[in-house]
Structure formats: C-alpha cells, structure tokens
C-alpha cells in the first residue's frame, strides 16, 4: 500500500517551458514534504521542501505547492533546462523516516 | 567536500558471503539513516540512529542485517549470508534538527551491492 504516489513515470518538456511534477499522499500524519533529484549511480540530492503549515515555497526556479485537503503536492520548474533531466522523487515525513514515491523521470530537450 | 560519504561505492559478492558498508555523515549531524533502493522504486527506510542510539528499525531489516554507530559519528551496515534479493543501492543520509523541528535529510552517493 503506497503512501506516497507519483503517478507519472515520465515527463518530457522543451527547454524554457514549465515542468510540473505531481505527487499524492494518503497519510494525513505527514507534516513535511521534500523533493529530491537523482542522477543515475548517485544519491538523491535535496531540492526543496515544504511544511504542512504552508501552501507554497519557492527557491529560484523551483516552487512547491501543497494542497492539504487534496493530499497533493506539485513541483514547478520554470524555466526548464536540459540539466534538469533526472529522476525526481517526492518524499513525505511524519517525524523521522522519509517515505518516497517511485519517482518521475524528467527529460528536458533543447 | 563535507557531504555524506559512503564506502565502498560498489560491491560484488557471492551468495552466502557477509558484506559491510560504511557511512560518514555530515560533520556534527546527530541523525543518521540507512535506506535501500531497488530498480524502479524510491528509497525505502531501513533504520535510524540519533547519536549512537538506534531508535527505529523497519520490518525490512531482517535478522541478517545489523547496523551500528558506535561513537555517534560514522555508521556501518552489515549484511550476513547475503542473498540475491539483497542486491540494491544502499543509501545513507544524515540530518541535524532540534527535537520537534522539521528536518532535511542529505544523502550520500550510495553503495551498489550485487549478489551473484
């Protein structure tokens, strides 16, 4: 039973356009959400996070939106760059351990 | 570079052998985590230390797995009598957060284990 779901295995976007990656969760105890980026053969790299008391957090080209009533969060990347091509993982926490989705592979073409 | 480091980066072993991995967290991070990632999945939590105390273990952590953090700094993860199903990327993460605060975990590069 997956508590964190990333329903789109892949996403293709043109350079300069917006990339929107989605994530749904089922556990209402989650109070902190994170996005990680992962290249092959490397560990996940932290991108951005949001706590449950906020509905938006922005850091440069990256913005995360949280809709608690829908148990949904999204990561927006604007503008997308070829170097953004990687696997993006959504993760949620209710205290210590992170629960991850299966990831979305983003491909940004120039 | 003062990030999380893991050693070795790759390990090939035969079924039934024991293996040990090491993780050095970011300096002064009091929390250390082990995760396992298999192909097509996100990382899955295995165990967690606060300083030298092992506070939480996943049901994924069978009796063949043991982890230590003897002085509250580096940690080791040992797998005894390896099985082919143990083949995976083993990830270490560390964090530092006051009690009750939201924490961000920073990951190392991982150790890729292949059991033949």
């Amino acid at each position: 039973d997956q508590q964190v779901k990333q329903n789109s295995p892949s996403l293709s976007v043109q350079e300069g356009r917006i990339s929107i990656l989605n994530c749904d969760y089922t556990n209402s105890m989650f109070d902190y959400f994170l996005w990680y980026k992962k290249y092959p053969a490397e560990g996940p790299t932290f991108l951005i996070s949001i706590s449950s008391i906020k509905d938006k957090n922005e850091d440069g080209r990256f913005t995360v939106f949280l809709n608690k009533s829908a148990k949904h969060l999204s990561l927006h990347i604007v503008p997308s760059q070829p170097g953004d091509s990687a696997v993006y993982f959504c993760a949620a926490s209710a205290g210590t351990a992170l629960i991850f989705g299966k990831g979305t592979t983003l491909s940004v073409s120039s | 570079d003062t990030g999380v480091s893991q050693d070795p980066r790759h390990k090939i072993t035969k079924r039934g052998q024991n293996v040990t991995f090491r993780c050095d967290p970011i300096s002064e991070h009091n929390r250390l985590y082990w995760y396992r990632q298999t192909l097509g999945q996100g990382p899955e939590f295995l165990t967690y230390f606060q300083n030298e105390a092992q506070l939480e273990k996943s049901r994924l952590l069978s009796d063949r797995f043991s982890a230590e953090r003897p002085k509250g700094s580096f940690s080791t993860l040992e797998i005894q009598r390896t099985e082919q199903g143990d083949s995976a990327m083993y990830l270490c993460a560390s964090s530092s957060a006051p009690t009750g605060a939201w924490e961000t975990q920073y990951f190392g590069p991982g150790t890729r284990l292949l059991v033949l």
Side-chain angles (χ1 to χ4, degrees):
Chain A
D1 179 29
Q2 271 194 286
Q3 298 186 67
V4 177
K5 297 180 183 179
Q6 293 178 257
N7 291 319
S8 297
S10 62
L11 175 68
S12 294
V13 171
Q14 283 192 322
E15 182 179 9
R17 300 288 188 111
I18 184 171
S19 296
I20 300 176
L21 296 97
N22 294 303
C23 178
D24 297 296
Y25 62 96
T26 57
N27 189 341
S28 57
M29 297 299 292
F30 289 145
D31 62 357
Y32 192 53
F33 304 88
L34 308 92
W35 285 93
Y36 288 86
K37 174 181 177 181
K38 188 177 184 302
Y39 294 115
E42 294 184 11
T45 300
F46 170 70
L47 273 178
I48 192 168
S49 62
I50 188 166
S51 64
S52 56
I53 61 173
K54 293 186 175 182
D55 54 18
K56 177 182 175 182
N57 189 26
E58 194 170 353
D59 184 0
R61 296 186 298 114
F62 302 92
T63 303
V64 56
F65 296 91
L66 176 63
N67 182 333
K68 285 174 55 181
S69 61
K71 293 191 175 67
H72 177 84
L73 63 155
S74 61
L75 174 67
H76 292 209
I77 306 173
V78 183
S80 301
Q81 300 173 352
D84 295 330
S85 298
V87 180
Y88 288 78
F89 289 98
C90 169
S93 171
T96 51
L98 293 178
I99 308 299
F100 284 83
K102 291 188 177 183
T104 297
T105 300
L106 173 64
S107 299
V108 181
S109 57
S110 55
Chain B
D1 183 36
T2 56
V4 179
S5 62
Q6 293 186 244
D7 184 70
R9 294 290 307 275
H10 305 275
K11 179 71 177 179
I12 300 175
T13 191
K14 292 183 179 178
R15 187 164 50 112
Q17 298 294 306
N18 298 346
V19 294
T20 300
F21 309 141
R22 175 180 171 124
C23 171
D24 287 88
I26 293 171
S27 180
E28 298 179 357
H29 275 190
N30 59 342
R31 293 183 176 182
L32 187 147
Y33 297 79
W34 286 98
Y35 291 81
R36 179 174 71 186
Q37 184 178 18
T38 54
L39 198 61
Q41 303 294 318
E44 295 174 293
F45 169 75
L46 292 178
T47 189
Y48 141 65
F49 291 84
Q50 177 144 328
N51 300 312
E52 65 275 11
Q54 188 173 18
L55 297 185
E56 195 173 338
K57 288 195 285 188
S58 161
R59 57 183 170 80
L60 291 177
L61 209 67
S62 76
D63 291 345
R64 296 183 297 104
F65 287 69
S66 62
E68 293 184 341
R69 195 182 183 198
K71 295 183 180 179
S73 56
F74 73 92
S75 174
T76 58
L77 177 68
E78 181 183 17
I79 309 174
Q80 295 182 327
R81 304 181 304 281
T82 52
E83 301 173 356
Q84 289 182 325
D86 297 331
S87 296
M89 172 81 88
Y90 289 84
L91 294 161
C92 177
S94 71
S95 72
S96 176
T99 302
W102 294 295
E103 61 173 300
T104 296
Q105 296 179 25
Y106 297 91
F107 285 81
T111 295
R112 182 165 293 284
L113 172 67
L114 178 60
V115 181
L116 301 176

